[in-house]
Amino acid sequence: MADRLIHPVVLSGGSGTRLWPLSRELYPKQMHALAGERTLLQQTVLRALDPDLFAPPLLIANDEHRFVVAEQLRQIGVTPQAIVLEPVGRNTAPAAAVAALMLAKADPEALLLLMPSDHVIADQTAFRRAIDTAAAAARAGRLATFGIAPDRPETGYGYIRAGAALADVAGAHAVDRFVEKPDIAAAEAMLRAGGHFWNGGIFLFRAGDLIEEMRRAAPAILAAADAALERARRDLDFTRLDRSAFEACPARSIDYAVMEHTNRAAVVPVDMRWSDLGSWTALWGIGAADADGNVTQGDTLHVETAGSYLRSEDGILVATLGVRDLLVVATRDAVLVAPRERAQDVRLLVDRLKQAGSPVASAHHRVFRPWGAYESVDAGDGFQVKHITVLPGQRLSLQRHAKRAEHWVVVRGTARVTQDDRVFDLHENQSTYIPPGARHRLENATGEPLHLIEVQSGSYLGEDDIERFDDVYGRVDG
């Protein structure tokens, strides 16, 4: 059917280590508003939201990010057809296989638009035209990829060399070959020669066609994805893939697993002002630079500074004097300083931090939970102070602690408190005391966020000093 809706499949499993210290494993770059008011995940979903062209989105996400993904969709008023949770990362081919298998159950000819969740596309009109062309190629039995028109010799991307134009699909070409990430000389040669495009990692094909090609070129991936989906279980609004089956799945990108081995690959060239925001230099490149080539974000001060990217989070002042071509990114618990030309090597710092067992490699000071978030304000011998935010309509588990007491002070909003047999409300500037051993629960029954300060005191303040009696999120710990 020519009018069949396209199913957007948004991949949100990456960690974005090259954008550390802002992007970390437990809150990666797609969860941040790096290029506009919306997060990259939200922007990706919104650019495929036309109900005349697109079905509701299907998201495939890391299990650790499930509640953040769900909350970000709620913020933009989008109800997905499914949020599928990967227990471990296995690259893009297994995720694409899962999506194709799910959609093919209802319709093997379902059109699947596979999109990473961490890209910026500034020219939406050009993107929509490319989708129309790619959809036509997919309906003709092709596996279409989007070839980004290069504007510079880039060594950080793979390339696609376009072959002959497709006779039956205007604007699409057969893929002549895929090119690995080149050195600078090869990148310059491809730019001069023309006919080469960056591989943007965006694909459009029929679900049944992808399954057919994977059955031939990547049978182990398809079998593992099928088993993980067959043994999947529902958990609240999520679909959890079976861990043992998915862990056994080979980790391959869809490029390596399928696209490089099929004779049905097509490329749709497009100039849509695209960036994968793969480094801090990429953010510098799309930012609004001043007369000296500086791009700034947050609380910054620069004197005699040129060609630099300066970013401050959490109100920390970043000040530079007499420098050029630097990256300076400050968060509450980490500061990155590096030459701009070394942006691709930031992951080396993350690797070193992981080897040292440092928590700043993977977690922010702000920890997200299904009900909201908390962040540590201060801590010392026998005490800890946290700022807790509870989202509208959410509540924590009914729990108790053996070794610590808690004092709660409401800063903004209204808290509904359960303490043993009592249930009562606390308003702004009111407080309560939860002694050790008391069953207690914190709830926000209003339509506005609840903010409170929690002061913990006791002989042990670890997060594992918790006994849950009831939890709407079905958590075992955390």
Side-chain angles (χ1 to χ4, degrees):
M1 292 173 56
D3 60 347
R4 179 174 277 115
L5 293 178
I6 297 170
H7 295 260
V9 176
V10 178
L11 305 181
S12 183
S15 58
T17 54
R18 286 175 294 179
L19 287 180
W20 183 89
L22 191 61
S23 176
R24 306 186 193 182
E25 284 185 359
L26 297 183
Y27 204 74
K29 66 176 179 175
Q30 63 267 28
M31 308 301 178
H32 294 272
L34 293 176
E37 295 183 359
R38 302 290 192 186
T39 68
L40 299 181
L41 172 65
Q42 290 171 330
Q43 290 181 29
T44 303
V45 171
L46 289 171
R47 70 174 61 110
L49 207 60
D50 182 350
D52 293 329
L53 182 62
F54 299 107
L58 189 162
L59 281 89
I60 300 183
N62 187 308
D63 176 67
E64 293 280 359
H65 307 152
R66 62 193 184 281
F67 293 112
V68 179
V69 170
E71 171 59 17
Q72 292 202 357
L73 292 178
R74 185 199 66 79
Q75 289 172 0
I76 58 175
V78 172
T79 301
Q81 58 177 293
I83 300 177
V84 180
L85 303 179
E86 295 180 319
V88 292
R90 284 295 180 264
N91 216 314
T92 56
V98 167
L101 289 164
M102 291 180 69
L103 294 173
K105 287 182 178 180
D107 179 11
E109 295 193 357
L111 292 173
L112 189 162
L113 174 62
L114 195 71
M115 298 184 293
S117 60
D118 54 1
H119 292 182
V120 169
I121 297 176
D123 191 339
Q124 302 295 324
T125 300
F127 182 48
R128 181 63 64 87
R129 286 197 300 265
I131 288 174
D132 292 341
T133 301
R139 292 187 183 102
R142 297 279 184 163
L143 278 63
T145 182
F146 292 59
I148 312 301
D151 59 8
R152 63 186 183 277
E154 175 60 61
T155 61
Y157 302 145
Y159 285 71
I160 302 166
R161 188 167 77 183
L166 298 184
D168 53 346
V169 183
H173 295 253
V175 170
D176 183 70
R177 69 184 181 98
F178 290 86
V179 182
E180 297 284 347
K181 294 178 181 179
D183 59 26
I184 187 63
E188 290 173 344
M190 286 187 286
L191 190 63
R192 288 193 303 269
H196 291 80
F197 303 90
W198 292 337
N199 184 353
I202 305 173
F203 305 90
L204 203 158
F205 33 63
R206 290 186 299 208
D209 289 340
L210 178 64
I211 292 170
E212 183 179 316
E213 290 299 300
M214 294 196 83
R215 189 173 289 121
R216 182 185 62 81
I221 292 176
L222 184 65
D226 192 29
L229 190 57
E230 279 295 315
R231 300 203 292 265
R233 61 183 177 87
R234 292 289 296 175
D235 179 5
L236 300 175
D237 295 329
F238 308 106
T239 299
R240 287 183 174 274
L241 297 174
D242 179 75
R243 173 174 285 275
S244 60
F246 203 72
E247 283 182 336
C249 189
R252 297 283 188 278
S253 73
I254 189 170
D255 305 84
Y256 291 131
V258 178
M259 299 300 291
E260 294 186 5
H261 304 285
T262 179
N263 60 7
R264 300 162 68 181
V267 59
V268 177
V270 57
D271 185 358
M272 55 188 181
R273 292 159 56 203
W274 167 94
S275 174
D276 72 344
L277 295 188
S279 69
W280 289 114
T281 296
L283 272 169
W284 172 79
I286 68 169
D290 64 17
D292 294 315
N294 300 306
V295 174
T296 63
Q297 176 78 32
D299 192 6
T300 64
L301 171 66
H302 53 90
V303 177
E304 298 176 15
T305 297
S308 295
Y309 183 83
L310 312 176
R311 187 182 188 104
S312 167
E313 300 287 325
D314 303 308
I316 296 173
L317 175 65
V318 169
T320 59
L321 170 64
V323 301
R324 64 183 305 115
D325 300 332
L326 283 185
L327 306 169
V328 184
V329 181
T331 66
R332 181 174 166 181
D333 57 354
V335 178
L336 166 71
V337 181
R340 212 181 68 221
E341 65 183 15
R342 298 293 303 276
Q344 296 286 347
D345 296 330
V346 170
R347 65 176 64 182
L348 300 177
L349 296 175
V350 179
D351 291 343
R352 187 70 63 87
L353 288 167
K354 287 182 177 179
Q355 292 169 10
S358 172
V360 300
S362 58
H364 284 273
H365 68 278
R366 185 171 175 83
V367 179
F368 291 87
R369 289 290 186 255
W371 41 262
Y374 70 83
E375 54 189 301
S376 179
V377 176
D378 195 9
D381 186 18
F383 80 93
Q384 184 168 229
V385 182
K386 292 181 178 180
H387 173 195
I388 295 177
T389 304
V390 184
L391 297 170
Q394 301 300 313
R395 60 179 181 170
L396 284 67
S397 59
L398 181 64
Q399 57 187 255
R400 70 181 172 195
H401 310 294
K403 300 179 180 179
R404 73 172 185 249
E406 296 177 345
H407 302 255
W408 295 344
V409 181
V410 175
V411 176
R412 187 163 68 249
T414 300
R416 180 156 297 165
V417 178
T418 298
Q419 182 176 340
D420 290 327
D421 296 329
R422 299 174 58 213
V423 178
F424 54 94
D425 287 347
L426 291 178
H427 302 284
E428 292 182 10
N429 300 320
Q430 293 183 332
S431 63
T432 192
Y433 167 69
I434 309 293
R439 292 193 183 201
H440 60 278
R441 165 178 271 153
L442 180 62
E443 180 178 358
N444 180 3
T446 75
E448 299 295 328
L450 165 65
H451 295 266
L452 62 87
I453 299 299
E454 176 184 83
V455 181
Q456 301 177 357
S457 59
S459 59
Y460 180 74
L461 305 175
E463 289 296 312
D464 56 346
D465 177 22
I466 183 171
E467 180 182 3
R468 284 194 173 90
F469 302 96
D470 174 59
D471 183 62
V472 296
Y473 309 105
R475 294 168 300 164
V476 176
D477 54 32

